[in-house]
Amino acid sequence: MRLTQAKIERIRRINAQTIHLELGLIDEALYRIKPGQTLLARLVDASGEPLAWDPYLREQWWPLGMTGQNTLLVERPANPRYEPGQYVSLLGPIGEPYRFSQRAKNILLIAYDADPTPLTIMLTWLLRNQLNVTLVLLGRARHYGTDHLSAEVEVIRGEDGLEWDDMVMTLGWADQLYAVVAPDDERQNFKALLDMLLDRKVVIPQRFAYGIFQPPTVCGTGACFACALRMSNSSRPRLTCTDGPAFDLLNVRLD
Ligand code: FES
């Protein structure tokens, strides 16, 4: 992990709520950042000093990967404070890449009442590796505009709860599932998701259902334990910032 500085070269709005920032002057150490790894970012001035209204905690930014022009694409909520030419201090990469099963052909992504960005950033990689992808948008996530996504991605919009048309068929089709839920009560929301899966599937195998956890990331280095998760298969907590962000939901204590 390194502390580096980049510059916002371009900003592209991709839907009503979301933009892509294209970052230049990227340190070569970040060229191989993988889906699932994030950056702790804050806007700075040209000399690297935080801006006067800078928040105490760095923001967690989700990169989509490098472009052909040695710039790094990052997906962010639309916010007028981002401007081309701004400098950004980046700490990262944070965490481990998502682990896809080598046998998986069909990947199900579920965003429930949460911004789907931790899921959409993996789409390019999944399609490049010829995996079939279905993205289910539930609750407030169903308002996420998807016109910018590849037509190869099947998008299903459900309702307010954890239900959608043909859900039994979709769950049976999937070889692996990744989900994000509202971070306000993340464990409770993941428990509701796991209970729904247990109701609909006879068996949930290990390494099938992964939750992408997004607790406040204070240090990003494994030093403060602010992001610790209790595990059901070990007395040792796991840290979202160094071991995550994705964990098999069967292994996390969600009570
Ligand atoms: S954020 Fe400090 S240990 Fe994870």
Side-chain angles (χ1 to χ4, degrees):
M1 185 196 314
R2 292 170 65 149
L3 183 63
T4 60
Q5 193 163 308
K7 187 179 184 182
I8 300 176
E9 302 277 2
R10 278 172 280 280
I11 300 175
R12 187 164 72 92
R13 184 176 281 270
I14 57 163
N15 62 32
Q17 314 86 7
T18 319
I19 55 175
H20 280 173
L21 302 178
E22 194 173 330
L23 305 181
L25 306 179
I26 288 292
D27 187 279
E28 284 187 24
L30 298 180
Y31 280 14
R32 281 188 292 280
I33 197 162
K34 298 209 167 52
Q37 293 182 302
T38 58
L39 297 165
L40 293 183
R42 65 164 34 121
L43 297 176
V44 293
D45 63 21
S47 63
E49 290 298 314
L51 303 182
W53 41 264
D54 185 61
Y56 173 64
L57 287 183
R58 287 170 174 262
E59 296 170 332
Q60 190 165 22
W61 285 15
W62 293 85
L64 290 93
M66 296 296 291
T67 69
Q69 286 81 43
N70 284 352
T71 54
L72 182 68
L73 270 189
V74 172
E75 184 161 315
R76 293 290 303 151
N79 188 322
R81 72 195 177 92
Y82 298 126
E83 291 172 13
Q86 277 176 328
Y87 290 92
V88 191
S89 167
L90 300 174
L91 185 65
I94 304 289
E96 292 287 325
Y98 297 142
R99 294 183 191 92
F100 301 102
S101 159
Q102 291 202 333
R103 288 199 299 268
K105 288 270 173 267
N106 304 321
I107 305 292
L108 177 60
L109 308 176
I110 299 176
Y112 173 41
D113 260 346
D115 186 340
T117 292
L119 305 173
T120 55
I121 54 107
M122 67 173 98
L123 291 175
T124 304
W125 190 94
L126 293 174
L127 296 177
R128 195 187 304 137
N129 286 277
Q130 299 180 333
L131 296 167
N132 305 307
V133 188
T134 294
L135 172 66
V136 176
L137 301 171
L138 305 171
R140 75 174 173 84
R142 69 186 192 273
H143 303 299
Y144 181 88
T146 52
D147 288 349
H148 65 291
L149 299 183
S150 164
E152 294 173 71
V153 178
E154 180 190 25
V155 178
I156 297 174
R157 293 178 202 276
E159 298 299 331
D160 278 339
L162 272 165
E163 299 209 344
W164 63 92
D165 289 346
D166 298 329
M167 60 189 299
V168 173
M169 196 185 308
T170 320
L171 292 171
W173 164 88
D175 300 315
Q176 213 171 9
L177 175 163
Y178 282 81
V180 287
V181 297
D184 53 351
D185 196 347
E186 200 167 49
R187 277 182 301 153
Q188 193 56 42
N189 291 322
F190 274 131
K191 180 164 185 341
L193 175 71
L194 191 58
D195 288 346
M196 179 276 283
L197 293 175
L198 290 165
D199 277 353
R200 302 295 196 292
K201 274 180 86 76
V202 181
V203 178
I204 300 180
Q206 287 280 330
R207 296 189 285 279
F208 170 75
Y210 284 83
I212 300 171
F213 287 78
Q214 303 175 77
T217 304
V218 179
C219 70
T221 62
C224 73
F225 272 57
C227 66
L229 294 177
R230 290 183 306 156
M231 309 307 287
S232 53
N233 57 355
S234 164
S235 57
R236 191 173 67 88
R238 305 283 301 279
L239 301 178
T240 308
C241 69
T242 54
D243 306 317
F247 293 92
D248 188 331
L249 288 175
L250 291 179
N251 296 340
V252 181
R253 280 190 59 177
L254 300 171
D255 52 351

